[in-house]
Amino acid sequence: MNPLKRPSCSGLALLCLAGLLVFAGVADVHAAALEMPALSVTTGAEGEQQYSVSLQILAVMTGLTLLPSFVIMLTAFTRIIVVFAILRQAIGMQQTPSNQILVGLAVFLTIFVMSPVLKEVNQVALEPYVAEEMGPKAALGEAAGVFKSFMLTQTRSGDLDLFVRLSESEPVEKLDELDFFVVVPAFMTSELKTAFQIGFMLFIPFLVIDMVVASVLMSMGMMMLSPLIISLPFKIMLFVMIDGWVLIMGMLAGSFGAA
């Protein structure tokens, strides 16, 4: 017989249970020794609320996870990236420039367009908050007000009326009094509409080239040859000759003027 016998199932269960009990006891002692008000909210003399560092860190980390959504919904990014995507489709190149290049161009052009808004947010919200002259809630409200003013200058009145009606909001005397969550979907709708209008205008000259090439090939009896193979070099040459990227960048940056 083998002198080294394996422990039975009941013995293993007892050992596991004992280990869990010891671990739970050590955890309780450790938690009692390190107990601190990590999640606390204190009310100041004037009624403002101060959050503990742990809650502030939690809010910052949550904000970082939502940052891509904020970039898409509250800035010029949507219009720019949609126009770039339509332009690539109009030229006829499915993967060139790649998605990474288009997104990078859109991000940096968005920063360029939004730089006045970001500077104002820094002045009215971020700097006072860092200097402890303003609470987090007030700073967030000031920053939201700046972004709302930018969005209102780019939003069509018809889109605003639609979402005000859908939200059953009370009539307001000034647009600045509209709820933030009413302005955001109206702004997104207007941005998509504007992007598709710009994309339509970009598509026309490339479509004309495709039609001319297709007509020439058909008249020559080359119906088996794809017109895209012949028209693609001509479209690229036209786009380069007119310095298309500079025109597109300038047009997109200039399209965000005050309404």
Side-chain angles (χ1 to χ4, degrees), residues 162-226:
L162 170 64
F163 285 96
V164 168
R165 185 171 66 254
L166 291 176
S167 64
E168 299 181 354
S169 302
E170 297 181 358
V172 295
E173 297 181 358
K174 299 180 179 179
L175 294 178
D176 294 339
E177 299 176 1
L178 287 172
D179 187 75
F180 185 80
F181 295 100
V182 173
V183 177
V184 171
F187 169 72
M188 288 294 296
T189 305
S190 293
E191 286 295 283
L192 289 174
K193 183 177 181 179
T194 303
F196 275 86
Q197 288 177 343
I198 297 174
F200 173 76
M201 299 302 297
L202 292 175
F203 222 107
I204 291 178
F206 299 108
L207 181 61
V208 171
I209 294 176
D210 286 334
M211 294 176 64
V212 170
V213 171
S215 300
V216 172
L217 291 177
M218 186 173 294
S219 64
M220 296 175 63
M222 299 181 179
M223 292 177 291
M224 300 300 294
L225 181 62
S226 175

Side-chain angles (χ1 to χ4, degrees), residues 27-236:
D28 290 340
V29 173
H30 186 67
L34 298 180
E35 184 177 358
M36 61 177 59
L39 305 177
S40 62
V41 180
T42 58
T43 303
E46 298 180 358
E48 72 280 5
Q49 291 182 337
Q50 297 293 334
Y51 300 92
S52 62
V53 178
S54 300
L55 283 177
Q56 294 182 21
I57 294 175
L58 179 62
V60 170
M61 297 303 295
T62 304
L64 289 177
T65 59
L66 298 176
L67 185 60
S69 300
F70 293 153
V71 171
I72 293 174
M73 293 187 298
L74 308 181
T75 66
F77 181 83
T78 299
R79 183 188 304 185
I80 296 171
I81 193 63
V82 170
V83 170
F84 283 166
I86 294 176
L87 174 64
R88 184 174 66 178
Q89 186 71 24
I91 295 176
M93 297 184 293
Q94 302 298 324
Q95 300 296 331
T96 305
S98 63
N99 292 332
Q100 291 84 353
I101 295 176
L102 291 184
V103 171
L105 285 173
V107 168
F108 281 97
L109 188 57
T110 300
I111 295 174
F112 175 79
V113 171
M114 299 295 297
S115 57
V117 179
L118 298 177
K119 289 179 181 178
E120 187 176 355
V121 169
N122 182 54
Q123 293 176 356
V124 303
L126 184 58
E127 290 182 353
Y129 174 70
V130 173
E132 297 183 355
E133 298 175 357
M134 184 182 297
K137 187 175 181 180
L140 184 61
E142 291 291 336
V146 175
F147 275 99
K148 185 166 69 172
S149 299
F150 166 77
M151 290 187 290
L152 286 173
T153 60
Q154 308 300 325
T155 306
R156 293 175 173 82
S157 58
D159 298 329
L160 277 176
D161 293 338
L162 170 64
F163 285 96
V164 168
R165 185 171 66 254
L166 291 176
S167 64
E168 299 181 354
S169 302
E170 297 181 358
V172 295
E173 297 181 358
K174 299 180 179 179
L175 294 178
D176 294 339
E177 299 176 1
L178 287 172
D179 187 75
F180 185 80
F181 295 100
V182 173
V183 177
V184 171
F187 169 72
M188 288 294 296
T189 305
S190 293
E191 286 295 283
L192 289 174
K193 183 177 181 179
T194 303
F196 275 86
Q197 288 177 343
I198 297 174
F200 173 76
M201 299 302 297
L202 292 175
F203 222 107
I204 291 178
F206 299 108
L207 181 61
V208 171
I209 294 176
D210 286 334
M211 294 176 64
V212 170
V213 171
S215 300
V216 172
L217 291 177
M218 186 173 294
S219 64
M220 296 175 63
M222 299 181 179
M223 292 177 291
M224 300 300 294
L225 181 62
S226 175
L228 295 178
I229 299 177
I230 307 300
S231 63
L232 181 58
F234 289 99
K235 291 189 286 187
I236 295 176

